[in-house]
Amino acid sequence: MSGNSIAAPVLRHSALLLGILLGLVGVHHFATHGFTQVNLDEAALGPQTTATFGKADGKRVHCLYLKHLEGCLQDHAEHGAGRPVTLWLGNSQLHAINQFHPGEETAAPELHRRLFDDGRYLLTASQPNANLQEHYLLFAYLMTKVPVRQLVLPLVFDDLRETGIRPDIGGALDDPDTQALLSRSATGNRLLREHASRDNLGNEVAALEETVQESVETYLSTALADIWPAWDRRNRVRGELFNEAYKTRNRVFGIKASSIRRMIPGRYAANMEALDDILALARSQGVSVALYIAPLRDDVAPPYDIAAYSEFKRNAALIGGVSFHDLEGIVPASLWGAKDSTTGAAEAEIDFMHFQAGGHRIFADAVEAIILELPGGTADR
Amino acid sequence: MIFNSLSYLLLLAIVVALYWNLPYRARLCLIFGSSLLFYGFWRVEFLPLLLLSTTIDYVVARMMEGRPDRQRKRLLLISLVSNLGLLIYFKYLIFIAENVTGFAHLLGFEPDPIVLKIILPLGISFYTFQTISYTIDVYRGFIRPEKDFIAYGCYVTFFPQLIAGPVLRAAEVLYQFKDRAPFSWGDVFVGLRRVLYGLLLKVVVADNIAPLVDSGYATSAASLSALDVYTLAFLFGFQIYFDFSAYSHIAIGSARMIGIRFPENFNFPYLASSPRDFWRRWHISLSSWIRDYLYLPLAGVKVQDRSVGGLATATTDRQNNRALFASWCIMGLWHGANWTFLVWGIYHAVAILCYRIVAPLIRFVPRTLQWIVGVAITLPVMMLGWIPFRAESVHDALLMWGRLFDPSAYLWLGLRENVYLVTALLTLLVFVMFAAHRWVIPRLSAHPAILAAGDMATIAVTTFLALVFLQATNQFIYFQF
């Protein structure tokens, strides 16, 4: 055997072992030093926009995901029992403040305080890019938990590009009372079906459920995390890798916050169907509904196909049996802001969705007027 | 037990470490015992069924030895009836009952609904085919019946291939269990490399395509454009390819770590230049099984002992075509008790038949051009074939296919931009992988240092990503078959 033919396998095997070692070092480094400071929820908004879920007189009245909602419901039981609930659902516009300064708050807690004095109880739930199917789920879920009498719902053209239910609120689909309400509609049945068949994204051993392996795997994973803490932090590395992939995509294709987002017909239709189901559920439960076109900055062209957006607004105005309001232009240009580049570049980009605290005060006034005009909402109705 | 888990990696490490330090008999007992443990990690109560199937064919094959043809035939029949009986009971009874009830309704009867609660035992389609092939091979005189039950048990239950193949022939592996192979670092390292690549393909690629596929196929067909249908067909084609080939990589690698060599199960199937070529490259062990134990006997062809290759011979007479369609119907239904799989099987039979008709007409075309045009046509044809395989119902599949014939459905797009982007990148990736395998790596072999550096970087990235994404959140798609 020649020297070369012996050396080749040795070289190959050494490369394998060194490669594995480098891979392990990489996991350790990125999980313990690289990506540990990033809050992924905040990262989605960018550093110039801050998520805040202010309290009203110590009460939790504005919640993000299902686990937070439990706290809101607890505080309602403690401080608002007997009061009818006005439910305000929305996207990150409700919980984000652009160019945030300490002490500032969003419209929701401010509005809660004003309405509380009037014998009402405002409960707000918002998720980034929340779609109408998610609003439908949360509306049905909260209907079974608190006496909802009024519903305030934004129509955000951008969010109609989203579909399905995110895992953070998907747990509501396991609630039997919610299931009963949802099963009355085609959308509800679809959501229940998808939930039953989908893999559990939050559960790292979902594929092992109901097997002997499940407990062994959980034990091993916990034991490994005890010895090697980086193991438990891998989800952050995963999140950051996706974030980098997103930025790379935007850089390569020149996608910015101001790039035109086309309407996606299937998702649009599924969301409008969910809206019909929300209204049907509200009617059947005696809930008054107010719909509004979400505020949008008007100093620059919106990132939408103008024809499609105009048609969407026209159709929204024609929806019967609800109180409809166009809040598109209520926040002046000076109260909007900028956000970090979606491509990782140095220069900031225009933020179309989130405004500054001053904008939230105007927003609160407008929504207060809508709520006061809407039937229901007070105990003496 | 599923491969993409810490428990499997631990089991594999323990088995490999012990195996090479044990004497012959103890090695067999280790493999058999660890295979039963591997299977029992899913559901202990199905272990007796696995052992029953194993024992029936062991006994039947032993009894065949030295008996006259007539008795051998009866014994073969016992094996077939018991194996297929188990398969029909566990896999098809609910489907049959539902369809009988449905048919009775069509005829105006009102039968009481039949409620059956039968759990499909994991891997039953694979180990049943494996035991059947063993008995048939003994019957045909290709192999002698195995006297050592533990060695035979290792062949049927060997954990790397137990749940989703490759479907092995006894002649390919039984002798390897009985060989006292000397320890080889080469085997361990080659196997480890395959396991790592398999994990990468599964947990990084296939599992991250899955949500896009699920979301796409959950969309109403009326909301999909023709390009969306192509995209979703391609995307699922990639998901199932990376998922299943990942399983095969891990199975082949795990076996190799203890010196057992499996035949390859995939060979760049999406680079196939014809439907027939595709089935010589995709799930090779199953397609060759169907060819040798079903198609060729049905076509009246004398069977040779071969284990690789596709389903076809180049004839177009009526008997061959009947055999082709019958084989593909069974191949389809083997994948699942649903009409969608039957449609999938018929689709492929039609594709192969069309190729048989066209092939003689294009013989004069230069080979390179034949290959390029062949790949350009075969790739979308094979991908579109995945639609019934993934769709919830035949109705959904037909609706999706129907969009392709609507000219107005070519004028818009109905999916998120990322779906098109990911699909395009995966298509590119398949071609890049092929080019690297076919041209780049062979050329670099003259420069071992460069090759080793590239290899090390690849392994480092593979290890990093495989560990970061390692989660037992998704089973392998082929587990359900």
Side-chain angles (χ1 to χ4, degrees), chain A residues 84-86 120 148-152 286-290 321-323 325 369-381:
Chain A
V85 169
T86 298
R120 299 162 187 261
V148 178
R149 289 289 169 265
Q150 293 181 325
L151 173 67
V152 181
V287 176
S288 311
V289 180
V322 299
S323 163
H325 307 268
I370 291 172
I371 291 171
L372 292 177
E373 200 180 274
L374 204 61
T378 51
D380 56 347
R381 143 184 196 244

Side-chain angles (χ1 to χ4, degrees), chain A residues 53-62 75 79 105 108-114 116 121-122:
Chain A
F53 295 85
K55 292 182 177 179
D57 305 322
K59 299 190 292 284
R60 286 165 288 184
V61 294
H62 185 180
D75 285 356
H79 304 281
E105 63 177 6
E110 161 68 18
L111 195 49
H112 177 93
R113 275 190 294 273
R114 292 187 207 167
F116 193 78
Y121 198 96
L122 177 71

Side-chain angles (χ1 to χ4, degrees), chain B residues 219-263:
Chain B
T219 308
S220 141
S223 308
L224 296 173
S225 71
L227 293 170
D228 300 337
V229 173
Y230 280 112
T231 304
L232 289 175
F234 269 71
L235 201 57
F236 178 67
F238 290 128
Q239 185 199 354
I240 196 167
Y241 170 54
F242 287 116
D243 192 276
F244 193 21
S245 66
Y247 185 93
S248 295
H249 272 298
I250 300 172
I252 292 168
S254 301
R256 185 68 183 269
M257 288 175 82
I258 54 172
I260 308 282
R261 289 165 194 245
F262 284 176

Side-chain angles (χ1 to χ4, degrees), chain A residues 136-290:
Chain A
Y136 179 35
L137 169 63
L138 283 183
F139 175 44
Y141 176 74
L142 289 167
M143 280 293 308
T144 68
K145 309 293 172 213
V146 286
V148 178
R149 289 289 169 265
Q150 293 181 325
L151 173 67
V152 181
L153 199 61
L155 295 175
V156 186
F157 190 59
D158 210 18
D159 294 341
L160 302 181
R161 286 164 46 86
E162 309 295 333
T163 192
I165 304 295
R166 74 195 67 204
D168 314 274
I169 59 168
L173 286 160
D174 295 323
D175 178 57
D177 296 334
T178 307
Q179 287 175 353
L181 282 181
L182 292 177
S183 62
R184 297 175 188 176
S185 71
T187 302
N189 280 311
R190 175 174 59 79
L191 296 178
L192 289 168
R193 216 172 37 246
E194 286 172 12
H195 180 64
S197 66
R198 72 173 297 161
D199 295 315
N200 188 343
L201 292 178
N203 178 3
E204 295 218 344
V205 292
L208 308 174
E209 276 182 327
E210 296 173 23
T211 68
V212 182
Q213 193 180 354
E214 186 182 14
S215 50
V216 176
E217 189 69 18
T218 307
Y219 172 78
L220 287 175
S221 195
T222 311
L224 183 57
D226 285 344
I227 303 165
W228 187 31
W231 186 254
D232 237 6
R233 297 183 193 146
R234 293 174 308 140
N235 60 341
R236 290 197 168 278
V237 184
R238 283 197 290 271
E240 194 56 31
L241 287 173
F242 282 122
N243 196 24
E244 287 302 319
Y246 162 79
K247 283 184 188 166
T248 306
R249 180 204 68 169
N250 291 347
R251 239 187 336 262
V252 170
F253 293 97
I255 298 171
K256 294 179 180 168
S258 54
S259 301
I260 300 291
R261 299 153 211 187
R262 69 184 173 85
M263 192 254 277
I264 302 172
R267 293 181 170 208
Y268 182 89
N271 280 309
M272 295 317 279
E273 196 181 319
L275 178 60
D276 289 343
D277 294 326
I278 291 173
L279 301 182
L281 178 61
R283 265 194 307 275
S284 72
Q285 304 291 315
V287 176
S288 311
V289 180

Side-chain angles (χ1 to χ4, degrees), chain A residues 12-13 19 23-24 27 161-162 199 203-207 212-213 217 234 238 249 253 262 264 266-267, chain B residues 1-2 5-7 41 189 193 223 413-418 421 460 464 467-468 470-475:
Chain A
R12 244 189 354 257
H13 300 335
L24 283 167
V27 175
R161 286 164 46 86
E162 309 295 333
D199 295 315
N203 178 3
E204 295 218 344
V205 292
V212 182
Q213 193 180 354
E217 189 69 18
R234 293 174 308 140
R238 283 197 290 271
R249 180 204 68 169
F253 293 97
R262 69 184 173 85
I264 302 172
R267 293 181 170 208
Chain B
M1 191 178 282
I2 69 173
S5 65
L6 283 176
S7 8
F41 255 60
F189 287 149
R193 189 182 292 264
S223 308
L413 299 171
L415 299 170
R416 284 296 286 258
E417 295 79 358
N418 281 352
L421 180 61
F464 173 77
L467 283 178
V468 164
L470 184 74
Q471 304 171 89
T473 47
N474 285 311
Q475 288 195 348

